[in-house]
Amino acid sequence: MADAYDKLIFELSSPGRVGWSLPEADVPEADVHKLLPAKHLRRDAPDLPEVSEFDVVRHYSRLSRMNYGVDTHFYPLGSCTMKYNPKLNEDVARLAGFAKVHPLAPEASAQGALQLMHELAWDLAEIAGMDAVSLQPAAGAQGELAGVLMIRAYHHSRGEKRTKVLVPDSAHGTNPASTAIAGYEVVEVKSLPNGEVDVDALARTLDTDVAAFMITVPNTLGMFEPRIIEITELCHAKGVQVYMDGANLNAILGITRPGDLGFDVCHFNLHKTFTTPHGGGGPGAGPVGVKAHLEPFLPVPVVTKDGDEYALDWKRPRSIGKLQAFWGNFGMLVRAYTYIRTMGPDGLRSVSDNAILNANYIMKRLERDYDVAVPGPCMHECVLSARRQKRLGVTATDIAKRLLDLGFYAPSTYFPLIVEEALMIEPTETEAKETLDAFCDAMIQIAREAETNAAVIHDAPVTTPVRRLDQTKAAREPNLKWTRRG
Amino acid sequence: MANVPRDLKYTREHEWAKQEGDRVRVGITAYAQEQLGDVVFVELPKVGAKVTAAKTFGVVESVKAVSDLFAPISGEVVEVNGELGQKPEIVNQDPYGKGWMLVVKPSGKGEWDQLLTAQQYEELIAQGGH
Amino acid sequence: MASRYIANTPDEQKRMLGAIGSGSIEDLLVKIPPKARLARPLGLTPALAETDLIRHMTALAARNAHADSHVSFLGAGSYDHYIPSPINHLILRGEFFTAYTPYQPEASQGTLRSIYEYQTMIAELTGMDVANASIYDGASSLAEAALMAHSVTDRREIVLSRAVHPLYKRVTATYCEGPGVRLRDVPAPEGVTDLAAARQVVNATTAALVVQTPNFYGCLEDVAAAAEIAHAAGALLVVVADPVNLGVLEGPGKLGADIVVGEGQGLGVPLDFGGPNLGVFAAKNELVRRMPGRLVGATVDHDGKRGFVLTLQTREQHIRRAKATSNICTNVALCALMATIYLATLGRRGLVKVGELSTAKAHYAASRLTKVPGVSLRFTAPFFKEFALKLPKAPERVLPRLARQGFLAGVPLKTFDRALADCLLVAVTEKRTKAEIDAFAAALEKAVA
Ligand SMILES: Cc1ncc(COP(=O)(O)O)c(C=O)c1O
């Protein structure tokens, strides 16, 4: 039975209740009206709720129960790498010597934090086969922006004014969006029906106006790009830089490295591969790695090591600048560092091995009942198409909703755009075989229901706190904040 | 098969155009609104703006898709359907009538004849619309 | 050795491979060309057992001065405010903590409801119509606001006061590089924006005028006057404001701001050496379709029951791709949840109290510290919880000594502005006590003597 709770915090408010505890002023003058000119002061206290501490705890506890999370549900959301987020990482990140350090503390008083950053950057560089890594980008999309801006600065430094960046039609939306913000014209290149790069078409498109080619490896169909080395060589021959979207790094740890494949830049999503929690949509961290020729353009400051001393180096005249006010999402860096130290090189390799095994196992178990986008073996995720079910009137969305009723979060749907009715399934290495089996059983059950009892799919979900929501109403009559009735 | 009125002309991007004296009324076709689904937002130019044939003049949005609107002919916008701001659903309900978008005073010559006829447009959508 | 984060046993692996019809995991890697393969193990530190790792991490953490080990007067965009205990407990609930962006709204109502509450609270505090679900941090929020102003007005120049946080300006410059949006400065020689100069600089090419209040130096700006200057030129007014101050200070929206951005770290988010932070972004209604980031809206479900969804998504990268209003995807939802729980806990009166105590203690600190011979306030304009202190001795010679005595005395302004090489930016939150301030003044007196 779904929880029928339907309150917002504002609706619990009772004038006079307090949830906080602050000391009385211990200084002689505490009246802001005497300390500050009236024109700066708020006339009325802000209309925030008045609730007790326990009201707060119960309300948000109940809200949390309206969510599926990795801790409670299998969450096969493709491209997002919804793996287990180790509890130890949380303990470590909460040590006062990490969580309560001010970003502008004197460098001499923050040597542990700087050392951690320096070592993590080095580890990521080793994992990706890159020469230098900046930890500053706040998420993958910001890593992309940083990477493309570095490519731009590099071309400019050589007196080249290239204007276009090539992005496959299978790319994640952030790729073209970041590229556009970096000032480039985005040229979409059509993939082959199997999702691979059309190398001949690419060769024809590469010219002296192309600054970069940006691709995801493994690609967004979960497949390794077999001609990748040829592709990066082809690009370099035309003076084109190659960017790897590293969102799918979980597939290749210790197996192959972007740098060795010929990539000039790649970003990491620490909230995917390196277990920092997704938090309902962030924060993440999107470090970006580069080859030596791009190193002068890294965002400032760079963490340096001189003897046993760590410092922030600001004197980098060719830097692209800054992406966020401080040094990066340090809290996430602590978690990723803890994870890498927990796993070690062999552990990371077995992460990818098992992620690949799990994805192939699912693909095999479902290949009779759903169309596979591309025949396997796949890497860490597999893409199915519900086109067969669509002919019976059951869409990828319908299947996603039915899965919620059967106790699973849904795969990514309608991504990549080049697969009709796409269902992108990424089990990750942290899931056990019995979970994968239960999920596959549910998927097969839905395939049967599509043939015999589609109504139960179209009605779904019925076990969640709300049933299907009216998206059209939400967009036509935007209601983006709570207002007091009457 | 979506309704394709005989007395209108069409673009390959699924706008219709209707001659009204020396003015041309513009909207999107029944096929276009079906493909989009529930229209939730329409962005149109202001009266007095210039539009150019085959160039975009606005956008129409559903929950999960955005579509550029292309001008069938060049000219000056003399009327805009203000009702679509509050009630974008009219585009779904009555694409050839109350769901019109602009009235343009044409400036170019010969553009009208380059538009698709109803029959040509029907053939286009029979092939999947591209 | 088996890893505790991977379930498959060798026997299970064998059974799964059997089902797949492969002899080994290696067989699954056939598409990777042999010459692309890494022929050696990664050169990383070998795995550490939990107990050893905790020892290592504790040792690293012990090398950092922090807000519990030292009495901190550090600010400049990151503040040591009170964090009510329930926040940490609640955000750690796995259903919040380990969920993704709420793409399946029926299974994400907890996150969606909390974001809707967050948007409501931020709109209320900033005095704006709508707030988004978050941007990475205050600086990137400002950068997004600059790009948004450019797209709304179709103008190419952003005019920033020199009293806007210099690192925010740096980030804005990075974002504006590609689109070719130029940044121009307005001086702030006396610690507040020179509005007469602003009037000269802002013109018909200006997309937005940007001021921060309290500004980088802690001083309060005349937002209403700035609004009048921007609007007279047809430009937008972007105000950078710290929402934790807005229990006491007027919401910039009420004073004419078109976009309000800021750093929400003070709302219950840990210092974390500068990140993750919380980028606040709010705007007027008529600009909502140009806003970056996610928005949650209320709607109804199939049975007419209230529910919440991500809405106006056609602005976003996954739909509009190269033409999206922003490239942001992952944001800082969990920090927004911290802020929501913080604002729920502090509520109507608590937030006012935080602002009052910070102001009172900061003003006490200013009067106490300027009693130290040779120490004075650099600027005379009204300030809120932070102020620039002029020292008779170079700050870099004073700070290490004070650090050894347990005080993180402030942020030296030299790195931000050479003209202020003798100044220290001192922030005082409600957490500081009179006794701490008195002790700091005594230590400072010795250090500068
Ligand atoms: C393939 C791919 N690229 C880029 C991104 C963007 O990363 P982020 O959400 O961290 O900005 C994602 C994640 O959503 C992704 O799956």
Side-chain angles (χ1 to χ4, degrees), chain C residues 349-410:
Chain C
R349 291 191 292 162
L351 194 69
V352 174
K353 183 94 178 172
V354 166
E356 287 174 349
L357 286 173
S358 302
T359 315
K361 294 183 187 216
H363 283 76
Y364 174 73
S367 70
R368 183 66 192 78
L369 294 168
T370 50
K371 291 207 178 76
V372 173
V375 173
S376 59
L377 281 180
R378 174 65 181 76
F379 302 117
T380 55
F383 64 89
F384 189 67
K385 67 181 180 201
E386 197 163 18
F387 49 87
L389 205 59
K390 191 162 145 45
L391 304 186
K393 220 176 182 176
E396 58 271 26
R397 292 179 50 211
V398 178
L399 291 175
R401 174 174 170 161
L402 288 168
R404 280 194 300 278
Q405 294 171 344
F407 298 99
L408 296 171

Side-chain angles (χ1 to χ4, degrees), chain C residues 149-225:
Chain C
H150 160 56
S151 103
V152 167
T153 60
D154 207 13
R155 297 178 179 187
R156 293 209 161 264
E157 218 162 74
I158 304 289
V159 176
L160 292 115
S161 162
R162 279 220 195 124
V164 170
H165 198 307
L167 296 178
Y168 286 29
K169 199 177 298 179
R170 198 86 200 261
V171 173
T172 304
T174 307
Y175 271 74
C176 285
E177 168 76 22
V181 174
R182 291 178 301 270
L183 304 189
R184 291 190 67 183
D185 269 0
V186 176
E190 288 314 312
V192 288
T193 309
D194 179 345
L195 290 173
R199 211 176 288 278
Q200 299 302 311
V201 178
V202 173
N203 60 33
T205 59
T206 309
L209 170 64
V210 182
V211 297
Q212 177 175 355
T213 189
N215 63 29
F216 179 63
Y217 306 115
C219 300
L220 293 163
E221 295 278 5
D222 188 342
V223 175

